[in-house]
Amino acid sequence: MSKNNNWSILLKGILKENPVLVLILGTCPTLATTTNVAGAFGMGIAAMVVLICSNMLISLLRKVIPENVRIPCYIVVIAGFVTIVQMIVQAYLPPLYEMLGVYLPLITVNCIILGRAEMFAGKNSVGKSALDGVGMGLGFTLALCAMATIREVLGAASFAGIAIPALEPYKIEVLVKAPGGMLVYGLLIALVFVITQGKAPLKKSFSCAGCPNAKHCHSACTEIADPANAETKEVQ
Amino acid sequence: MKASSFKPRSLSVLVAICAVMSVLLAVTNALTAPVIEENQNAAANEALLQVMPNGEGFKSVEFDAEKLPKTIKEVFKEKNGGYVFKLETVGYGTGLVLMCGINADGTVSGVVCLGSSETLGYEKTYGESFTGKDAAGVDAVDTVSGATKTTAAFKNAIKDAFNAVTILGGGSVDLRTEEEILNDNLSAALPAGEGKFIKPFIAEVLDGIDAVYAAENGKGYVYVIGEQFIGVEAGGSSDNATVAAAHAILSASVSEDIDLSAHGEGVLPKKLLSAKKTATGNYILEVKGAGYGIKGGDDYHPASGEYIVVRVSMTPAGKIIDTFTVSQAETPGVGDACLDEKFYGQFDGKTEENYKEIDAIGGATMTTNGYLDAISNAFAAVTILEGGSVDLRTEEEILRDNLSAALPAGEGKFTKLFITEIIEGVDAVYTADNGKGYVYVIGEQFIAVDESGASDNEVVSAAHAILTASVFEEIDLSAYAEGVLPKKLLSAKKTASGNYILETKGAGYGIKGGDDYHPASGKYIEIRICLSAEGKIIDVVTTFQEESKGIGDACANEKFYGQFDGKTAENYKEVDAIGGATLTTNGYFDAIENAYKALEILKGGNH
């Protein structure tokens, strides 16, 4: 089983189990806020704050919350934290609030948050959940910033709003629009796949077979997970 | 799989969690809500303070949108009695949003543009010109020509703000537009008209009547005498004698077409399109004129290729009764003002002597001239139809006819000769392109000299002898040291008689001008000038120019450069400049000045 190395909990969120590029969670805010590096960074940090707080609270309550009201409880907690973060950002960082717009309240339904609450915080200690929150949050932020850098520098000839005149004639405008965003996203996923040698996405603990709903799913997804199951080992 | 069963514990846990989160939210909200509201107020206040810097305690005021001018969107009242209005109006583009502050003492505290889709950028700073003005002074502020719609929108919005202050203060203001007031007056005079009136084209002289309106439904007319609106129902009559007389004439008015082909080729002006005559002897003509659509055109505003078509009614004595623009394809937003009754209404009552004494369309000289062109053709047409005669030839045609009459062997093709010798008593010389002779012009006389070179006229023979004997040779400019001769001297020749024929260039609009709408061509004006050794200009001709089409290119016209003949270095600038083309005129002077500079050096024989 997995080694309980705190350091590895933190690090896995950054590459091997990067929420955006490996777990393929939180794609909506990824595509939406990566047209500008400053916005991407802001979104990443905001989501990380919510993730850490909600992970910790849910971990704290994991023995208290009965399984059948698990989801509603998680959502109340997450939505509450997002609203608190939203109010604080609106009061003290109005420019960031303007930049994030509707994507700030949408953190509530960011799959990463609910996903980690289910996959990790609901089963692990508060300390480890906090670390997981940091790791996943950093992974999210880094993935967002990487994507935003590519899209903004090549697509709009600027970085975090600062123009780069030398690149202006070569900018590929489609990169800052939806099709370009999808393209960059796909390429980054492929890149990480190559780096992690393809082993990460097939891990049982977070593929279909490891989903908490697997037993309710009438094994619709276990068939997909099957072929890989034979070979996969937990690699930590 | 076990079906989820309802557990009291599940419910209570959920409720507990909700309660805790609610408390946390309430606390955060209590802390942050005031900060957020202050931020929002600060942003709104910033705009308010921009227009009323000394204002305090701005409060938003509820108002009845029906009672205030339509452009007012928000009203703020300031502690000391001032008002700030947010207005939305239409300038060149829609969505021109302005903030206008009016102090308690009735002066403008400031006007700022919050948002716009204007094109030229004047809206950013134009508001500053209104600070300190009172209601009466708003109109006095200069409009910006070329941005009339934007600046007119500002003025109207500020007037609305003043009206709003009056209304909010309990006063009353007539908010109706001119059209609304007119329509209300017409409807009051003729209720049967059901509120829809048009201004019909009148072809009869109606004494004492200022204007006539017809109900679209045919139920009658309204006659305007000064401030009075007097209605007459169809088939009815009026107590007012003037109106009754006018109505009788108008009702009885009939006209029939005039067959233009009956007049023979070239008798009537080419620009006369159709003609009718009324039973009372007045004429209804449709004429066309060459405005911007024909004579103008550049990369930004291409010429449409269409004439302006005008309908004119005129008495046989040549007095205009009514005018109407039938069609035009002039520049939208500029020349198309010729469709406005306010423009063409100016011609009513004018004659051939004074029809040009009207206010031109601002920024649309070519359109105005095209309109005048059309009307001049109407005057000519009436004179001819009344049995008179008019020389319809253009100036060029008259010149060519005179030259051909003097020298038929020239076969109608002549070029003005560039004079290189001083000849007495002759105004101009033309040569036949086929080399069959010359024509000398002395005043009104055109005297030919054929190939043999003989002429009875002494002055002409003397001049001809001098001109035909004129020889010149090229001066080698490279023989001069670097920088001695003016850079703008292109070539130089010297005649045996000691005159200099110089080709020079000058920097006009093509070099010194240029903006987004009329880019500079990058080309100099080039001239050929013949100077006597004493510095008297014998002849000048423009050999090359790329100045603004329709404006600066007048420098290629003999009417312009011909002015320089006979001038000297002291007085060559005493000529009529080209209207609206100062840079071009100065460029021409520049070219001539360089010729004089070159003359000094070439005369001195310096190397």
Side-chain angles (χ1 to χ4, degrees), chain B residues 340-359:
Chain B
D340 197 345
E341 207 269 327
K342 283 201 179 63
F343 169 70
Y344 60 74
Q346 295 179 97
F347 294 100
D348 298 355
K350 293 270 192 274
T351 63
E352 200 166 0
E353 278 77 38
N354 64 4
Y355 76 98
K356 291 192 184 178
E357 290 165 27
I358 47 109
D359 290 329

Side-chain angles (χ1 to χ4, degrees), chain A residues 167-219:
Chain A
L167 287 175
E168 181 74 29
Y170 304 106
K171 67 181 183 192
I172 309 163
E173 280 184 36
V174 72
L175 287 180
V176 293
K177 301 205 167 41
M182 300 269 192
L183 192 70
V184 175
Y185 191 23
L187 288 172
L188 277 176
I189 294 174
L191 185 67
V192 170
F193 189 89
V194 166
I195 295 172
T196 60
Q197 294 165 328
K199 296 207 178 93
L202 300 173
K203 280 178 66 172
K204 188 173 168 194
S205 65
F206 55 78
S207 52
C208 267
C211 176
N213 268 336
K215 42 188 198 281
H216 304 295
C217 218
H218 304 288
S219 24

Side-chain angles (χ1 to χ4, degrees), chain A residues 74-108:
Chain A
Y74 291 171
I75 293 196
V76 168
V77 170
I78 295 168
F81 273 122
V82 171
T83 312
I84 288 170
V85 168
Q86 190 183 330
M87 285 195 259
I88 292 173
V89 169
Q90 189 179 10
Y92 300 108
L93 293 166
L96 181 60
Y97 184 74
E98 299 288 320
M99 205 188 305
L100 293 176
V102 71
Y103 291 98
L104 190 51
L106 281 181
I107 295 176
T108 312

Side-chain angles (χ1 to χ4, degrees), chain B residues 109-382:
Chain B
S109 61
V111 179
V112 158
C113 176
L114 287 186
S116 80
S117 47
E118 300 306 283
T119 51
L120 297 174
Y122 291 103
E123 77 285 3
K124 293 192 178 68
T125 53
Y126 186 60
E128 292 161 14
S129 5
F130 293 95
T131 310
K133 298 273 187 287
D134 60 11
V138 172
D139 271 328
V141 173
D142 288 329
T143 40
V144 180
S145 72
T148 18
K149 284 196 178 164
T150 305
T151 47
F154 265 80
K155 287 191 177 180
N156 287 333
I158 295 170
K159 284 192 217 165
D160 282 348
F162 275 110
N163 285 338
V165 173
T166 313
I167 296 168
L168 288 167
S172 70
V173 176
D174 191 348
L175 292 178
R176 295 178 298 172
T177 60
E178 268 189 57
E179 283 90 34
E180 284 168 348
I181 295 175
L182 176 65
N183 216 339
D184 287 347
N185 285 334
L186 292 172
S187 297
L190 191 77
E194 289 165 352
K196 285 199 174 2
F197 295 89
I198 53 164
K199 199 166 189 295
F201 185 77
I202 305 295
E204 304 291 348
V205 177
L206 305 171
D207 288 322
I209 305 287
D210 293 324
V212 183
Y213 292 86
E216 269 186 24
N217 58 12
K219 294 259 170 93
Y221 291 86
V222 178
Y223 294 83
V224 183
I225 305 177
E227 298 282 334
Q228 281 187 294
F229 286 74
I230 300 160
V232 180
E233 295 198 0
S237 61
S238 173
D239 295 331
N240 186 308
T242 320
V243 169
H247 191 68
I249 296 173
L250 210 56
S251 312
S253 183
V254 286
S255 64
E256 51 177 46
D257 287 319
I258 298 176
D259 183 8
L260 299 181
S261 58
H263 284 261
E265 188 92 22
V267 170
L268 288 166
K270 286 196 198 69
K271 288 176 181 157
L272 176 70
L273 301 171
S274 70
K276 290 190 170 90
K277 195 165 174 177
T278 68
T280 43
N282 298 326
Y283 290 91
I284 302 170
L285 308 165
E286 283 200 2
V287 279
K288 65 183 186 185
Y292 186 92
I294 299 292
K295 297 201 163 183
D298 57 36
D299 288 336
Y300 294 93
H301 298 116
S304 59
E306 284 181 39
Y307 286 87
I308 306 171
V309 178
V310 182
R311 187 177 303 140
V312 185
S313 59
M314 200 180 288
T315 66
K319 189 166 176 184
I320 297 178
I321 303 172
D322 203 355
T323 344
F324 178 72
T325 311
V326 174
S327 72
Q328 58 86 35
E330 300 295 284
T331 319
V334 184
D336 65 358
C338 66
L339 283 173
D340 197 345
E341 207 269 327
K342 283 201 179 63
F343 169 70
Y344 60 74
Q346 295 179 97
F347 294 100
D348 298 355
K350 293 270 192 274
T351 63
E352 200 166 0
E353 278 77 38
N354 64 4
Y355 76 98
K356 291 192 184 178
E357 290 165 27
I358 47 109
D359 290 329
I361 300 168
T365 335
M366 281 198 230
T367 302
T368 311
N369 287 341
Y371 216 92
L372 295 174
D373 177 27
I375 293 186
S376 71
N377 280 288
F379 284 117
V382 167

Side-chain angles (χ1 to χ4, degrees), chain A residues 64 68 73 80 87 90-91 216, chain B residues 1 9-10 21 35-36 39:
Chain A
V64 173
N68 55 351
C73 288
M87 285 195 259
Q90 189 179 10
H216 304 295
Chain B
M1 159 187 131
R9 181 165 172 251
S10 311
M21 286 316 290
V35 181
I36 292 171
N39 287 346

